Amino acid sequence: MKSAYRYAALVFLVFFASTTIGCGLLVNLLKASQNNFAENLEMPTNPEFCALIDNWPVKDKTPEEIFKSNTIVHLDMVVNLSRQAWTASGCVIDYAGKPYVLTAGHVNTTEVKFKAIYASFSNGNDHPEEVEIVLCDRVLDFALLRFKNPNFVFRGTYADLGTSVDLAIGQTVFALGSPLGLKFSMTHGIVEKLDFGMDYEGISQPQVILHSATINPGNSGGPLMNKKGQVIGINVMGINGGISSFRPSAVTTIPGAIPIDDVKSVLRRITTGGMVQHSYVGAKVLDTHELNPLDYEQREVPKPDKDGLIVFIIAKNSPAEKAGLKPGDIILECDGKKYKDASEIAKHIILESKPGSEIEFKVLRIYSSNSIIETGNDGRAVYKTLYKKLAEPKTLTIKVRPEVR
């Protein structure tokens, strides 16, 4: 059974590993900067981008066919004439009739100022082309790069963007990219787990695809594909537990990718380039089935006598706290819709609602709360929250006005 602390550990490990495994250079994910954006951030709008899913059956391909039928992009981020910053991977997508490179968001680092970014191709175009960053989503961790030459003609194969909604544990996947600077390689594995991703400025990725296809530094931004050769995710991270007294040897890294449907949701609603904005509520919602009694005790959250999605953590001074949401509240509806999965609520807030627009929660409150101050053994003040079960549970409608981050 999972615990809240395992979730916290997952967030930390994904964050740690994504800064050390995804690309070939340690990058700063904590401070969003536009120092490597293009000067012109105008982009064509395309609300119909991948809105329709092709229902025509697509046959499975052999690994050889998948590799040959896709154009892998190798990215060289150059700082100056004597130093190459690091490498990454990507694929070319057709967005509003123009070619763009889809890659990982943390290529837009705040550590250095790039002199240039060059894209090389596994097939189609023989020579590297200079590209520039026009869009970056730090929460989902993806970016779009535009070709600087307005007359550039892409002669490779556009990536076939599939869907990630029907992913299943055990499904075969392929990771394409340029690990360790070795251009254009492919590994394969299976989907191992679907879970929450890393946390950026208090906003968690709604979902990450954990899989067993080997990735290394340089694989960041490369496509994760299914057996049909369709992109179902973008490789951006790896979880590495390191070494501890409980793990006397290094733990095998578990690669992670962001679902392609989450990327498509953002690309359908953007109106300009730059940094993508999302809503920040400041509430961590979990499923009561995933929590054990110790989880509630550690977080001082009352254990409800009703199963469902529970507000488990409320950040201090967050929009959720200011609006009146409380730990222990059971979420019945969010914006008039019932949810069975906490990640689906996160997707609604982050991907479906307009950034900063009001979010309405219908909750069942079983306990009242009261904050007290006690004196600890060391003489210091200890802040605690006391809960008292209500005689009759209350159904409340709470409107939260998110911050935009």
Side-chain angles (χ1 to χ4, degrees), residues 97-109:
K98 296 183 179 180
Y100 285 83
V101 176
L102 176 62
T103 186
H106 57 267
V107 300
N108 187 27
T109 176

Side-chain angles (χ1 to χ4, degrees), residues 248-261:
S249 60
V251 178
T252 301
T253 299
I254 302 177
I258 54 173
I260 195 64
D261 284 340

Side-chain angles (χ1 to χ4, degrees), residues 364-366 390-395:
L364 181 68
R365 182 162 297 168
I366 304 173
L390 298 173
E392 291 291 337
K394 295 180 180 179
T395 300

